[in-house]
């Protein structure tokens, strides 16, 4: 009968790893003098030295012991599953070797390409590149929600400055903008005056009486761009400067960061392909491979 043995635990500082095991499996014949066994399944052993690579993770003995116990249980379950699968599933050695080679290739090449890309990648994306990509791919940026450029101020109802806020929001000159910002800093419970920035309308009205409004399109498309709301304690003022509705194309400013990421990701793909082609061409020039017809 196959036996599973859990040997007495010693305080081991251990990071729980479930994806793969970063330890060497040793056979029963190997001496345990240098590294006592922590657990075993048949002739497969998990030893204390196999866990030493994580000893810097924590200085708390209690945490390290708990993590060690959890890891040992995980290791035992994996070994049992490997054993069970080996008995129940017929996999040819050639097929297994091929899969292991593919996995090894994926790991090594991934790390090499990652290092190469980090070294050669240009992360600077110009406004011209962003605008060019935007113009050529507008149909890919259809809005799923309403966005606005707006000014917002939340004022306690008891403040006399409510009247000033109302008046200043109805003006568009630079002096009024300056006064409005001063008022907001000194008296507002909350405010958003970055009127050149596009934001999601639902985020701007979150936790205000407007959040429950069922017809936000009608709210935005009415003639008066100043929207007022109130609850028991506060007045809410919204000056809508511009809006884009759901299913419309957003302005380039709203998707600028997204486009930058797309362009950089394309550069990464191109660098990886360029590296592969370079390695291939060099090997071809050095007669390092043959392709048989």
């Amino acid at each position: 009968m196959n036996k599973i043995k859990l040997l007495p635990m010693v305080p081991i500082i251990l990071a729980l790893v479930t994806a793969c095991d970063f330890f060497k499996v040793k056979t029963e014949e190997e001496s345990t003098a240098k590294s006592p066994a922590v657990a075993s399944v048949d002739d497969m052993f998990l030893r204390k030295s196999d866990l030493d690579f994580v000893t810097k993770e924590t200085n708390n003995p209690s945490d390290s012991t708990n993590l060690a116990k959890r890891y040992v249980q995980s290791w035992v379950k994996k070994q049992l599953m490997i054993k069970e699968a080996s008995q129940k599933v017929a996999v040819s050695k050639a097929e297994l070797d091929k899969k292991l080679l593919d996995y090894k290739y994926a790991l090594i090449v991934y790390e090499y390409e990652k290092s190469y890309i980090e070294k050669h990648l240009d992360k600077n994306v110009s406004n011209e590149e962003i605008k060019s990509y935007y113009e050529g791919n507008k149909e890919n940026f259809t809005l799923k929600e309403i966005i606005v450029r707006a000014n917002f101020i939340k004022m306690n109802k008891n403040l006399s400055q409510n009247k000033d806020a109302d008046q200043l929001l109805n003006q568009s000159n630079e002096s009024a903008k300056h006064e409005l910002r001063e008022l907001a800093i000194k008296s507002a419970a909350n405010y958003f005056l970055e009127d050149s920035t596009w934001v999601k309308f639902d985020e701007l009205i979150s936790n205000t009486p407007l959040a429950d409004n069922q017809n936000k399109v009608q709210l935005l498309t009415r003639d008066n761009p100043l929207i007022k709301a109130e609850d028991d304690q506060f007045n809410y003022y919204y000056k809508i400067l511009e809006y884009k509705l759901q299913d419309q194309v957003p302005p380039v400013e709203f998707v600028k960061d997204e486009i930058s990421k797309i362009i950089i990701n394309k550069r990464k793909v191109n660098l990886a392909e360029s590296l592969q082609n370079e390695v291939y061409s060099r090997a071809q020039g050095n007669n390092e491979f043959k392709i048989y017809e």
Side-chain angles (χ1 to χ4, degrees), residues 47-152:
R47 299 188 181 278
K48 184 178 182 298
S49 62
D50 299 325
L51 312 175
D52 289 342
F53 71 100
V54 290
T55 56
K56 295 181 290 186
E57 293 297 322
T58 178
N59 292 321
N60 188 315
S62 177
D63 288 346
S64 66
T65 300
N66 290 333
L67 286 171
K69 288 179 179 178
R70 290 166 57 192
Y71 186 80
V72 170
Q73 289 295 326
S74 176
W75 181 87
V76 168
K77 289 178 182 178
K78 287 178 185 178
Q79 299 306 318
L80 291 175
M81 285 302 297
I82 292 172
K83 175 182 174 182
E84 178 79 5
S86 299
Q87 294 172 348
K88 303 295 185 182
V89 180
V91 180
S92 70
K93 184 177 184 304
E95 182 181 355
L96 185 60
D97 287 344
K98 180 180 181 300
K99 289 182 177 180
L100 289 173
L101 183 62
D102 288 343
Y103 180 65
K104 179 180 178 181
Y105 167 85
L107 281 177
I108 295 174
V109 171
Y110 169 79
E111 291 299 330
Y112 176 48
E113 287 184 347
K114 179 182 176 183
S115 175
Y116 180 87
I117 289 170
E118 287 178 352
K119 182 177 179 180
H120 295 87
L121 180 64
D122 178 9
K123 295 182 180 180
N124 295 315
V125 182
S126 68
N127 290 330
E128 290 73 19
E129 288 177 288
I130 292 173
K131 190 174 296 184
S132 176
Y133 187 90
Y134 172 79
E135 292 297 335
N137 299 273
K138 281 185 177 181
E139 68 280 0
N140 297 329
F141 296 105
T142 303
L143 285 168
K144 294 181 175 59
E145 52 200 324
I146 299 170
I147 61 174
V148 297
R149 287 195 307 108
N151 285 325
F152 161 65

Side-chain angles (χ1 to χ4, degrees), residues 104-273:
K104 179 180 178 181
Y105 167 85
L107 281 177
I108 295 174
V109 171
Y110 169 79
E111 291 299 330
Y112 176 48
E113 287 184 347
K114 179 182 176 183
S115 175
Y116 180 87
I117 289 170
E118 287 178 352
K119 182 177 179 180
H120 295 87
L121 180 64
D122 178 9
K123 295 182 180 180
N124 295 315
V125 182
S126 68
N127 290 330
E128 290 73 19
E129 288 177 288
I130 292 173
K131 190 174 296 184
S132 176
Y133 187 90
Y134 172 79
E135 292 297 335
N137 299 273
K138 281 185 177 181
E139 68 280 0
N140 297 329
F141 296 105
T142 303
L143 285 168
K144 294 181 175 59
E145 52 200 324
I146 299 170
I147 61 174
V148 297
R149 287 195 307 108
N151 285 325
F152 161 65
I153 291 186
K154 174 183 176 181
M155 299 280 291
N156 192 298
K157 280 186 171 183
N158 297 327
L159 295 177
S160 61
Q161 288 88 342
N162 275 272
K163 183 177 180 181
D164 296 331
D166 194 335
Q167 293 176 346
L168 291 169
L169 281 166
N170 277 306
Q171 302 176 45
S172 57
N173 58 74
E174 290 301 319
S175 176
K177 288 182 179 181
H178 178 74
E179 289 184 49
L180 183 63
R181 183 169 294 276
E182 290 291 321
L183 183 148
I185 292 171
K186 293 178 180 178
S187 305
N190 194 12
Y191 64 91
F192 178 83
L193 301 177
E194 306 300 324
D195 56 18
S196 63
T197 303
W198 288 89
V199 295
K200 297 175 182 179
F201 189 49
D202 281 342
E203 291 183 0
L204 192 63
I205 64 176
S206 177
N207 299 317
T208 77
L210 292 184
D212 298 325
N213 190 292
Q214 299 301 310
N215 198 337
K216 297 181 177 66
V217 174
Q218 185 180 39
L219 194 66
L220 292 168
T221 55
R222 63 183 195 156
D223 292 336
N224 189 352
L226 183 61
I227 303 172
K228 301 178 186 178
E230 64 178 287
D231 56 26
D232 293 339
Q233 187 176 358
F234 297 101
N235 287 327
Y236 303 83
Y237 303 92
Y238 296 87
K239 176 67 174 292
I240 306 301
L241 305 173
E242 194 174 356
Y243 61 84
K244 292 287 184 181
L245 303 178
Q246 188 175 354
D247 295 328
Q248 290 185 331
V249 176
V252 65
E253 294 83 5
F254 187 73
V255 291
K256 182 177 180 179
D257 290 343
E258 182 180 351
I259 292 175
S260 292
K261 291 178 182 177
I262 292 172
I263 291 174
I264 289 175
N265 283 334
K266 285 181 176 291
R267 290 177 182 174
K268 290 180 179 179
V269 172
N270 290 337
L271 280 171
E273 291 178 353

